[in-house]
Amino acid sequence: MALGCSSNTVLHLMAIANAADVELNLNIIDEVSKRTPNLCKLSPFGTDYIEDLYESGGIYGVMDELSKKGLINLDCQTVYLKPIGELIKGKYGGGVIRPIDNPYSPVGGIKVLFGNLAPKGAVVKAAGVLPEMMTATLKARVFNSEEEAYESILGGKINPGDAIIIRYAGPKGGPGMREMLSPTSALNGMKLDTSVALITDGRFSGGSRGAAIGHVAPEAALGGPIAAVEDGDIIEVDIPNGKLNVKLSDEEIEERMKTVVPVKRELEGYLSRYVQHVATADKGACYRKES
């Protein structure tokens, strides 16, 4: 959170917690982000790089500064047979790491969103969202694949004020949640990141920036509300308050879902087995223990 964070971190942590039988959910991640200040702005969201972070004290330097507000458990044991407090003490070197009393933001890089478009949550790298897109009312442009959306972006068919909806890109629908670096890069290159959001049940690269909202759950392939969205629907994004809604009543969504024809990929072999057993994004998109 202090580094700005990749949205993929959420998937990895949820999957690790699942394997370790540790209780973790999106609400806990959101609470951690609320109390962790953003101390770094690393590329592509800033002009600083990993090597600059290293010269400033590295991860230990960040942890040392966070410890000044009691945000690090200094007694936590490490593989070096020393508590983490001993290892990080005095490592803060300033440089590209801001002091904890003067952060880039008082909250962390990740924000979890909920609403009728994402009842089980969605994730955005808030540290990479421009101020003008933190709250927005947009018009839906719906696509059932990344390729379709990318073609429309390059073809000049996306306009300021649009919300690009890419669905059937989640763990089951993709399958596998491949990273959507191409659409976000195209939007940034065309200077549309100041006025267009990209919302998907898939995920993004750590190099993506802009209002890229991913991991929408339940995903379209599981009958999530994102499957009911149509071109022209009004999408309401409120990142500071953690809200993501489509301007439809529950009854309207339910009625539309009756006529939705899910997109199904032709799969065989291991991919077919993967789809049968993969968990939802809000659970880490990991292997489900139950069959």
Side-chain angles (χ1 to χ4, degrees):
M1 301 301 178
L3 292 176
C5 215
S6 167
S7 55
N8 285 321
T9 305
V10 177
L11 287 172
H12 299 325
L13 287 177
M14 298 294 283
I16 292 168
N18 178 75
D21 284 325
V22 173
E23 182 182 355
L24 183 65
N25 56 54
L26 292 181
N27 289 306
I28 293 173
I29 287 174
D30 198 50
E31 286 301 315
V32 171
S33 187
K34 285 178 181 177
R35 63 176 184 261
T36 307
N38 181 198
L39 303 182
C40 299
K41 281 281 187 183
L42 303 177
S43 179
F45 308 104
T47 57
D48 303 320
Y49 296 89
I50 290 294
E51 53 265 40
D52 300 315
L53 174 62
Y54 176 78
E55 294 296 332
S56 302
I59 300 301
Y60 277 2
V62 175
M63 295 174 73
D64 186 21
E65 191 62 11
L66 290 173
S67 71
K68 296 175 182 177
K69 293 287 186 180
L71 296 172
I72 300 293
N73 180 358
L74 299 177
D75 297 323
C76 187
Q77 191 57 264
T78 71
V79 294
Y80 296 103
L81 302 181
K82 295 179 181 178
I84 192 66
E86 289 186 27
L87 297 176
I88 68 175
K89 187 175 181 180
K91 296 297 184 182
Y92 173 69
V96 304
I97 306 171
R98 280 204 174 181
I100 200 164
D101 291 325
N102 183 32
Y104 286 102
S105 167
V107 296
I110 292 292
K111 184 64 185 173
V112 177
L113 313 178
F114 292 96
N116 69 351
L117 189 54
K120 291 188 177 181
V123 176
V124 62
K125 182 170 181 173
V129 180
L130 295 170
E132 53 265 47
M133 290 301 293
M134 294 299 280
T135 58
T137 300
L138 308 163
K139 183 176 68 174
R141 294 292 309 281
V142 182
F143 303 93
N144 288 336
S145 73
E146 177 186 1
E147 290 82 359
E148 293 172 37
Y150 187 52
E151 184 178 337
S152 287
I153 295 169
L154 294 184
K157 298 177 182 177
I158 301 300
N159 302 306
D162 284 345
I164 300 171
I165 309 291
I166 301 179
R167 58 196 182 191
Y168 298 101
K172 287 183 179 292
M177 298 185 82
R178 63 185 179 183
E179 294 182 333
M180 294 189 185
L181 185 57
S182 295
T184 53
S185 295
L187 290 173
N188 295 331
M190 297 169 74
K191 307 299 182 186
L192 287 171
D193 56 323
T194 62
S195 58
V196 172
L198 199 163
I199 302 169
T200 179
D201 50 12
R203 69 185 180 109
F204 299 102
S205 160
S208 296
R209 57 194 171 108
I213 301 169
H215 308 188
V216 170
E219 62 176 294
L222 284 173
I226 191 172
V229 179
E230 298 176 356
D231 282 340
D233 284 345
I234 301 302
I235 307 295
E236 297 172 331
V237 177
D238 184 351
I239 293 174
N241 292 304
K243 302 293 183 184
L244 180 62
N245 289 293
V246 55
K247 206 167 182 183
L248 295 171
S249 67
D250 292 343
E251 291 74 20
E252 287 174 307
I253 293 174
E254 185 178 348
E255 193 60 32
R256 285 190 185 182
M257 288 303 299
K258 293 178 181 177
T259 60
V260 167
V261 179
V263 172
K264 294 195 180 211
R265 318 287 185 201
E266 292 295 327
L267 303 171
E268 57 184 25
Y270 282 109
L271 273 182
S272 178
R273 292 175 61 188
Y274 169 85
V275 167
Q276 293 174 31
H277 294 286
V278 67
T280 54
D282 59 299
K283 303 294 185 185
C286 55
Y287 180 80
R288 290 181 301 156
K289 292 181 180 179
E290 68 273 14
S291 60

